[in-house]
Amino acid sequence: MSQVNVTLPDGSSRAVPAGTTVRAVAESISPRLAKAALAGIVDDRLVDLTCPLNADARVRIVTEDSAEALHLYRHSAAHLLAAAVTTLFPEVQCGIGPATDEGFFYDFVVPRPFVPEDLQAIEQKMQELARQDLVYERQTWPRDDAKAFFAGRGEPLKVQLIDEKTEGQTHVSCYTIKDKETFIDFCVGPHVPSTGRLKAFKLLSTSNAYWKGDARNQPMQRVYGTAFFSEKALQAYLTQIEEAKKRDHRKLGRELGLFTFHQWAPGAAFWLDRGTTVYNLLANYMREVLFPAGYTEVKTPLIFNKALWETSGHWQHYRQNMFLVESEDEQMALKAMNCPGHMLVFGSEVRSYRDLPLRLHEQTPLHRNEASGVLSGLTRVRQFSQDDAHCFVAQDQIGEEVERLLGLIQRVYGDFGLTYDAKLSTRPPEFLGEVATWDSAEAQLKAALERAGQTYVVNEGDGAFYGPKIDFDVTDAIGRKWQCAAIQLDYQLPARFALKYVGADNAEHMPVVIHRAIFGSFERFMAILIEHFAGAFPLWFAPVQALVLPIADRHLDYARQVASELKGAGLRTELDERQEKIGYKIREAQLQKVPYMLVVGDREAAEGTVSVRTRTGGDQGAATVAAFIEAARAEVASRGRNVVGAASAGASA
């Protein structure tokens, strides 16, 4: 029998008979590794342990500690879910069942929607199948035989998938659990060796779905679940989910009077009074950060002729996500991004190298034609604004400008108490421009990250079609990650718009554009902040910073005087004049998450003081109005960092 050479991660190699499986390689290394093995990586391809090695190859064994393991594990859990469903409900037709970042789901065509009792029964059946330790077996079938088999079972969606995904192939991959009578699915795999490897999983919810996400297609029922390698990790995630429900920005947005939605304007928020206050705080905060950093704010039109979008390339690549408008036989589109308009601003006059970097900032509304089925609160909308900016730089200014941007990102997220991770997204399969230009752009972004001391990971192939980018994921108070900031290097748009500047050599040169946003969109960032703080915003960012609570009607005049002083000092203050008991007023203020409650009664009116209470710390004692104002303003100015805060005014007065 011929031999093949297997190269292991440590660089060592060994000769094994051709046809040796990945599992056998693991066994030859150590029994412990073989027991822990879930799959293998053969020349960068994830495969089952049963995969034979018929040529020289690099081999790495995948265990629970491997980066690929959790996705593999969850994919297998999705198949276990489908096996349980088809066992309990034989009339159900299977769709697709991928792993996700949070767990897995599977779509089914069902005669009736699943109810909670169904989910309980399905999960119990999954546990039963897991205890039986049934083998996931990969079978290779002739393509026509597979199509005939699934057609005969009344599963036309599987036939459609085979047609679409295996065109030109003579054979297809199918996976069974135990045998095809128990469960079989058309799937490229791979999977864990057996159901017994799945120890900790939980079904979470159901929702309506459509085949391929298109409302014109077959309606389906989606079952969501999650899976982890240990019960401890699963329980920690379930606890996080419960905490997330309490922090849901859609729920808190209603309760705190921040925003609402209406069916006549899907995907567009109605910002209420307090929500508008916070929105404006966010917008003006960004201006305070950017203007000293050399940015200029502009406003460009909301609707452009399609010629603009054809020039930018968005008409070819993004038109399906834009709202189109007809006007006097001209085809127009609502702007979905600011960058093409900023190209026109740059090109509106002769530019010199002395004008660079030119940093244009804009906050006007944008519109994207998102499918109704994916709209979700503030995190997925059709109308939004960004803290958008485009920095026009010379080639030799790229590194310095990106480093400046990294400093801005660090400052902004620090002010909101958010930690973050960076990832460099490289050239996608479909792209504009030359490979050499892309390579140069990616190298410059890497160099800037390293000079700034910013740790990062490489996200291969996830760049925009016009250039590589650095994405930033912030981590909130309960450990969830949200993608927010982005720095995008772009050689393509300046070329498409024929932008030029006159250099020191008196010759024309093309600028490079750096697209960048730090919040991302205001709407999405607001959702993150609401959930991060659970609606209890820090003093500097709270829509109502102080609420004056008179104990009785006779204290109203003094309460109005206190409220007037606080407002005059620039503090966002409200007065509760309702004829309610003071305990009720305090509880209401706490539910509204107001940072400071200032109770005034006979003693306070006589002494010119207020009784300071915080939303979480209770009574802080009496303070003069002036002392409270001074402490509160210091807390606001410092964004609450390294300052004892206004609560200390009561103790020190």
Side-chain angles (χ1 to χ4, degrees):
M1 180 180 292
S2 62
Q3 300 282 304
V4 297
N5 287 319
V6 172
T7 303
L8 301 175
D10 63 1
S12 64
S13 62
R14 60 187 65 194
V16 299
T20 297
T21 64
V22 173
R23 175 184 280 114
V25 171
E27 290 169 346
S28 71
I29 296 171
S30 79
R32 183 177 179 181
L33 180 61
K35 184 177 181 180
L38 296 174
I41 303 286
V42 176
D43 289 337
D44 300 322
R45 183 169 63 95
L46 187 63
V47 300
D48 297 298
L49 290 177
T50 55
C51 176
L53 302 172
N54 294 312
D56 294 349
R58 291 175 286 107
V59 176
R60 174 164 61 87
I61 305 302
V62 173
T63 68
E64 291 182 8
D65 296 329
S66 304
E68 304 84 359
L70 190 56
H71 191 273
L72 168 81
Y73 187 83
R74 288 171 170 171
H75 185 195
S76 298
H79 272 234
L80 185 66
L81 163 62
V85 168
T86 53
T87 299
L88 294 173
F89 305 93
E91 70 278 16
V92 161
Q93 182 185 160
C94 293
I96 60 170
T100 68
D101 289 341
E102 301 297 324
F104 58 89
F105 68 80
Y106 211 109
D107 291 343
F108 303 96
V109 178
V110 294
R112 62 164 178 82
F114 291 128
V115 296
E117 292 76 14
D118 292 330
L119 284 195
Q120 293 174 10
I122 294 167
E123 188 175 303
Q124 289 174 359
K125 178 57 71 172
M126 290 174 68
Q127 292 167 347
E128 178 186 324
L129 294 173
R131 286 193 296 270
Q132 293 177 31
D133 197 23
L134 305 175
V135 172
Y136 286 86
E137 182 184 0
R138 183 178 190 271
Q139 298 182 358
T140 301
W141 288 31
R143 186 172 185 266
D144 290 341
D145 288 357
K147 289 174 60 178
F149 175 81
F150 285 108
R153 285 165 55 103
E155 296 201 63
L157 299 184
K158 292 295 178 184
V159 177
Q160 183 180 341
L161 284 176
I162 294 171
D163 277 333
E164 293 173 352
K165 295 183 176 296
T166 66
E167 185 177 357
Q169 298 179 22
T170 59
H171 289 74
V172 300
S173 166
C174 295
Y175 276 83
T176 64
I177 292 179
K178 184 181 179 181
D179 51 46
K180 68 177 183 291
E181 285 71 34
T182 303
F183 180 72
I184 186 168
D185 201 357
F186 162 62
C187 177
V188 297
H191 286 283
V192 298
S194 65
T195 61
R197 296 299 188 97
L198 305 176
K199 302 294 186 183
F201 50 81
K202 180 72 176 176
L203 298 186
L204 302 174
S205 63
T206 63
S207 72
N208 295 325
Y210 295 97
W211 178 237
K212 297 184 177 178
D214 189 331
R216 296 169 296 183
N217 288 342
Q218 173 79 54
M220 307 187 81
Q221 181 91 160
R222 177 168 294 178
V223 180
Y224 291 95
T226 193
F228 290 86
F229 289 119
S230 70
E231 189 66 27
K232 180 180 178 181
L234 173 62
Q235 291 306 316
Y237 177 74
L238 297 177
T239 299
Q240 184 188 75
I241 289 178
E242 289 305 309
E243 182 62 27
K245 289 178 182 177
K246 299 175 188 175
R247 294 169 177 261
D248 190 326
H249 74 278
R250 294 164 295 187
K251 169 178 174 288
L252 290 173
R254 291 191 303 271
E255 293 174 355
L256 301 179
L258 299 176
F259 60 87
T260 188
F261 288 91
H262 195 279
Q263 61 183 358
W264 290 348
F270 289 74
W271 292 96
L272 306 178
D273 54 350
R274 291 185 177 184
T276 300
T277 296
V278 178
Y279 197 102
N280 289 338
L281 284 169
L282 202 60
N284 290 330
Y285 164 81
M286 184 52 69
R287 291 184 175 104
E288 291 172 9
V289 170
L290 295 183
F291 290 172
Y295 284 77
T296 300
E297 185 168 9
V298 297
K299 288 187 180 296
T300 58
L302 300 182
I303 301 177
F304 287 95
N305 187 285
K306 77 170 186 177
L308 173 86
W309 307 110
E310 288 174 332
T311 301
S312 69
H314 290 96
W315 196 258
Q316 297 91 326
H317 292 271
Y318 203 75
R319 179 175 49 186
Q320 70 276 11
N321 297 107
M322 301 173 74
F323 285 102
L324 307 183
V325 180
E326 290 285 340
S327 176
E328 297 181 344
D329 297 325
E330 288 191 64
Q331 198 160 14
M332 317 280 283
L334 282 170
K335 69 174 177 180
M337 61 283 298
N338 290 310
C339 35
H342 289 188
M343 301 304 115
L344 298 185
V345 171
F346 184 93
S348 65
E349 59 184 271
V350 177
R351 304 289 182 180
S352 163
Y353 70 96
R354 293 188 177 91
D355 298 323
L356 306 183
L358 178 64
R359 307 178 182 99
L360 302 181
H361 172 63
E362 182 163 10
Q363 297 184 6
T364 51
L366 304 172
H367 293 82
R368 295 183 183 175
N369 192 8
E370 300 281 5
S372 59
V374 302
L375 298 177
S376 179
L378 297 177
T379 59
R380 197 73 177 265
V381 291
R382 288 176 173 171
Q383 177 182 297
F384 60 98
S385 296
Q386 292 182 311
D387 64 311
D388 206 5
H390 295 90
C391 306
F392 296 82
V393 299
Q395 181 74 21
D396 60 1
Q397 294 173 327
I398 291 172
E400 181 181 353
E401 190 66 15
V402 171
E403 288 183 66
R404 286 168 61 93
L405 292 175
L406 293 172
L408 285 177
I409 289 168
Q410 182 179 24
R411 173 189 167 178
V412 170
Y413 290 161
D415 282 346
F416 287 97
L418 295 166
T419 58
Y420 61 91
D421 300 304
K423 53 188 178 184
L424 173 62
S425 299
T426 58
R427 185 176 67 248
E430 293 187 21
F431 61 93
L432 295 176
E434 301 298 324
V435 171
T437 302
W438 275 82
D439 290 344
S440 172
E442 291 172 8
Q444 290 180 75
L445 289 181
K446 287 180 181 178
L449 284 163
E450 289 162 6
R451 284 195 301 270
Q454 175 67 57
T455 58
Y456 67 96
V457 297
V458 177
N459 197 8
E460 295 286 356
D462 201 41
F465 68 86
Y466 51 84
K469 60 180 178 173
I470 306 170
D471 290 316
F472 296 83
D473 292 337
V474 301
T475 302
D476 69 13
I478 59 173
R480 296 170 302 177
K481 292 187 180 296
W482 305 78
Q483 184 171 322
C484 290
I487 296 173
Q488 178 93 47
L489 199 57
D490 185 0
Y491 290 87
Q492 308 305 323
L493 276 183
R496 295 177 76 90
F497 282 87
L499 300 185
K500 302 293 182 184
Y501 69 91
V502 179
D505 58 359
N506 223 26
E508 288 187 334
H509 302 270
M510 187 183 74
V512 181
V513 170
I514 302 173
H515 307 248
R516 77 105 193 95
I518 299 177
F519 294 153
S521 76
F522 287 111
E523 282 73 8
R524 181 177 171 81
F525 198 67
M526 276 293 301
I528 294 168
L529 292 179
I530 291 169
E531 299 195 8
H532 176 64
F533 292 113
F537 297 122
L539 183 66
W540 73 274
F541 196 63
V544 179
Q545 295 171 315
L547 186 59
V548 182
L549 306 176
I551 293 176
D553 284 353
R554 65 179 181 274
H555 308 124
L556 271 173
D557 286 343
Y558 178 63
R560 291 177 183 133
Q561 177 187 330
V562 170
S564 179
E565 286 187 55
L566 267 60
K567 290 178 182 178
L571 296 175
R572 294 182 293 279
T573 306
E574 291 185 1
L575 172 63
D576 188 342
E577 299 187 58
R578 295 175 300 168
Q579 293 181 334
E580 300 284 357
K581 292 182 178 180
I582 191 63
Y584 178 83
K585 291 182 179 181
I586 290 171
R587 285 192 297 275
E588 285 281 292
Q590 288 172 328
L591 288 174
Q592 288 297 302
K593 304 182 185 294
V594 178
Y596 288 107
M597 291 146 273
L598 306 181
V599 179
V600 295
D602 291 335
R603 180 177 177 181
E604 287 79 15
E607 297 178 354
T609 61
V610 292
S611 180
V612 181
R613 297 183 65 91
T614 67
R615 60 189 162 202
T616 56
D619 186 10
Q620 305 296 310
T624 65
V625 176
F628 175 81
I629 289 173
E630 181 182 359
R633 291 173 73 173
E635 186 176 343
V636 168
S638 69
R639 313 286 190 226
R641 293 184 290 188
N642 302 318
V643 169
V644 176
S648 66
S652 60

